[in-house]
């Protein structure tokens, strides 16, 4: 699975001996900030345009519009030169660092009391759906020979909460930007299709508002896409969908931590020394090697925000402001990730990627549908 990215990382990372050598003085911090300003300006402009699209067309979620605009900017003749040139450092910063900040604030959307109030049957249904989707997608992606971390990232996006989950998982898996962008593009596309397809199945499948809402919450990827899909069936469906969806979001931290622990054990080979790329949240062992943490700092932040929300101490205006900030940060991150998508490369390997996306979509829709019927 990791043949391509292993080879690439071998070309781009220093050998252990070189890593131990003294580093030449880096660029001044002010210069590094200046390098990022054009890309951050492009990301901000993309967010503003995506917000405008969402206001004009409320059925189009802000985050969906952001990723589409990022992809468009990477391929239109004029903007393409900018996003691949002077704006690249800032856009890459947005796709990684702003994604982390957005994931931390996402924790304020999860109230553990509300989620557990759905009952143990619904909790079991969501756990089963997430486990089946994640494990099945990773297994099938590897069997299909998808390169790099694409199976892992696509599985995470489908099973948990779309692009923000992919961004979180990419931090512990040290994934290449190309793999992250491909996974985000696929999950966004399928989630957008769900906005159209699932409401058409509401009546033919004989679901009432509660059942439809829980099916949408368990089977649609991004929170915005869940809202856009569930609201077609009324307020009851919307409430149930959001609660079930937040239960899936709450599983982000334990899933990322479990994968991080597994990858660290695999990379150490039992020696206790990890051979991973340096990261700002990594820990240094006594031997001087860098070790990726089991739970990255931003995932710990997500858990802390969830605990804070669950105390009930935060006023609604604070939660509303945090939600708006989270949406803007994630939108900026998706503009950055979208700008890294190279459609010709995606098309060349697109048959297998599209097939995996379709199969994973059928798995999560089928398992969640069966689970809803059994638990309501």
């Amino acid at each position: 699975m990791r043949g391509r990215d292993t080879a690439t990382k071998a070309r781009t990372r220093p050998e252990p001996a070189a890593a131990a050598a003294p580093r030449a003085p880096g660029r001044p911090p002010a210069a590094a900030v200046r390098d990022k300003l054009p890309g951050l300006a492009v990301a901000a402009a993309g967010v503003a345009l995506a917000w405008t699209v969402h206001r004009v067309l409320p059925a189009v979620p802000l985050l969906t519009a952001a990723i589409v605009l990022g992809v468009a900017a990477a391929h239109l003749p004029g903007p393409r030169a900018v996003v691949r040139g002077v704006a690249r450092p800032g856009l890459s910063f947005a796709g990684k660092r702003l994604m982390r900040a957005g994931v931390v604030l996402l924790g304020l959307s999860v109230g553990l009391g509300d989620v557990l109030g759905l009952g143990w049957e619904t909790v079991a249904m969501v756990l089963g759906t997430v486990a089946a989707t994640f494990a099945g997608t990773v297994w099938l992606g590897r069997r299909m020979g998808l390169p790099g971390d694409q199976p892992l990232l696509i599985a995470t996006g489908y099973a948990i909460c779309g692009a923000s989950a992919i961004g979180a998982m990419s931090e512990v898996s040290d994934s290449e930007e190309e793999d992250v962008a491909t996974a985000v593009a696929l999950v966004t596309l399928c989630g957008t299709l769900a906005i159209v397809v699932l409401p058409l199945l509401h009546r033919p499948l004989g679901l009432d508002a509660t059942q439809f809402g829980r099916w949408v919450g368990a089977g649609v990827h991004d929170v915005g896409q869940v809202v856009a899909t569930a609201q077609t069936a009324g307020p009851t469906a919307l409430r149930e969908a959001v609660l079930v969806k937040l239960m899936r979001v709450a599983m982000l931290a334990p899933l990322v931590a479990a994968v991080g622990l597994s990858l660290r054990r695999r990379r150490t080979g039992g020696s206790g020394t990890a051979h991973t790329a340096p990261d700002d949240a990594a820990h240094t062992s006594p031997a001087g090697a860098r070790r990726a943490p089991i739970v990255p700092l931003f995932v710990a932040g997500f858990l802390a925000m969830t605990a804070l929300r669950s105390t009930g101490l935060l006023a609604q205006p604070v939660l509303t402001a945090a939600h708006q900030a989270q949406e803007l940060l994630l939108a900026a991150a998706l503009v950055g990730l979208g700008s890294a998508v190279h459609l010709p490369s995606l098309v060349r390997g697109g048959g297998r990627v599209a097939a995996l996306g379709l199969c994973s979509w059928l798995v999560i829709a089928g398992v969640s549908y069966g689970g809803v019927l059994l638990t309501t």
Side-chain angles (χ1 to χ4, degrees):
M1 165 181 159
R2 303 186 59 88
R4 175 178 61 84
D5 60 330
T6 301
T8 301
K9 291 171 184 174
R11 291 194 301 268
T12 56
R13 292 181 185 167
E15 296 297 324
R23 293 183 178 181
R27 301 190 66 198
V33 171
R34 285 196 300 270
D35 287 345
K36 296 179 177 65
L37 289 180
L40 292 175
V42 170
V47 171
L49 186 54
W51 181 84
T52 302
V53 171
H54 174 61
R55 294 287 294 179
V56 174
L57 302 171
V60 180
L62 172 65
L63 300 187
T64 299
I67 184 70
V68 170
L69 289 171
V71 173
H75 294 84
L76 294 175
R80 178 175 57 197
V82 176
V83 301
R84 294 184 182 178
V86 66
R88 189 69 255 153
L91 289 170
S92 295
F93 176 87
K96 184 174 184 179
R97 306 293 181 172
L98 298 188
M99 178 68 78
R100 292 180 182 180
V103 169
V104 170
L105 290 181
L106 184 62
L108 289 176
S109 299
V110 183
L112 294 182
D114 291 336
V115 171
L116 295 177
L118 291 170
W120 70 266
E121 299 95 341
T122 302
V123 173
M125 181 269 289
V126 173
L127 287 173
T129 299
V130 169
T133 303
F134 181 79
T137 303
V138 170
W139 177 83
L140 183 59
R142 289 174 175 171
R143 295 283 294 180
M144 295 172 65
L146 288 184
D149 289 327
Q150 288 181 16
L152 173 65
L153 298 176
I154 292 170
T156 305
Y158 273 80
I160 304 295
C161 54
S164 54
I166 292 171
M169 184 61 76
S170 69
E171 295 298 323
V172 298
S173 61
D174 194 24
S175 303
E176 295 180 21
E177 190 175 33
E178 177 185 351
D179 290 339
V180 177
T182 298
V184 167
L186 178 66
V187 171
T188 300
L189 174 62
C190 290
T192 303
L193 291 176
I195 298 174
V196 178
V197 174
L198 265 60
L200 297 177
L201 299 175
H202 178 192
R203 299 303 178 190
L205 292 178
L207 300 174
D208 61 26
T210 297
Q211 291 172 322
F212 180 72
R214 293 188 179 187
W215 184 41
V216 170
V220 179
H221 318 314
D222 182 79
V223 176
Q225 294 162 348
V226 167
V227 171
T229 306
Q231 57 86 29
T232 61
T236 298
L238 180 58
R239 177 185 179 278
E240 295 295 319
V242 170
L243 287 177
V244 171
K245 179 61 187 175
L246 292 182
M247 187 186 302
R248 286 171 63 197
V249 173
M251 297 181 65
L252 173 62
L255 178 63
V256 169
V259 172
L261 178 60
S262 174
L263 290 176
R264 192 171 78 174
R265 286 176 174 172
R266 186 184 309 168
R267 290 167 181 170
T268 60
S271 65
T273 302
H275 304 288
T276 57
D279 186 87
D280 60 340
H283 303 298
T284 305
S285 69
R290 307 281 289 186
R291 296 179 62 191
I294 297 174
V295 180
L297 184 60
F298 72 97
V299 176
F302 172 91
L303 292 172
M305 293 300 101
T306 298
L308 180 60
R309 166 64 187 267
S310 301
T311 64
L313 297 176
L314 298 181
Q316 188 56 46
V318 175
L319 295 175
T320 300
H323 175 74
Q324 293 172 344
Q326 166 219 309
E327 287 274 289
L328 294 176
L329 288 169
L330 291 179
L334 291 182
V335 171
L337 286 175
S339 69
V341 173
H342 187 236
L343 288 179
S345 299
L346 188 60
V347 169
R348 283 195 292 270
R352 290 178 298 166
V353 172
L356 177 62
L358 178 60
C359 291
S360 185
W361 194 15
L362 292 175
V363 168
I364 193 169
V367 173
S368 59
Y369 175 69
V372 166
L373 294 183
L374 290 174
T375 57
T376 55

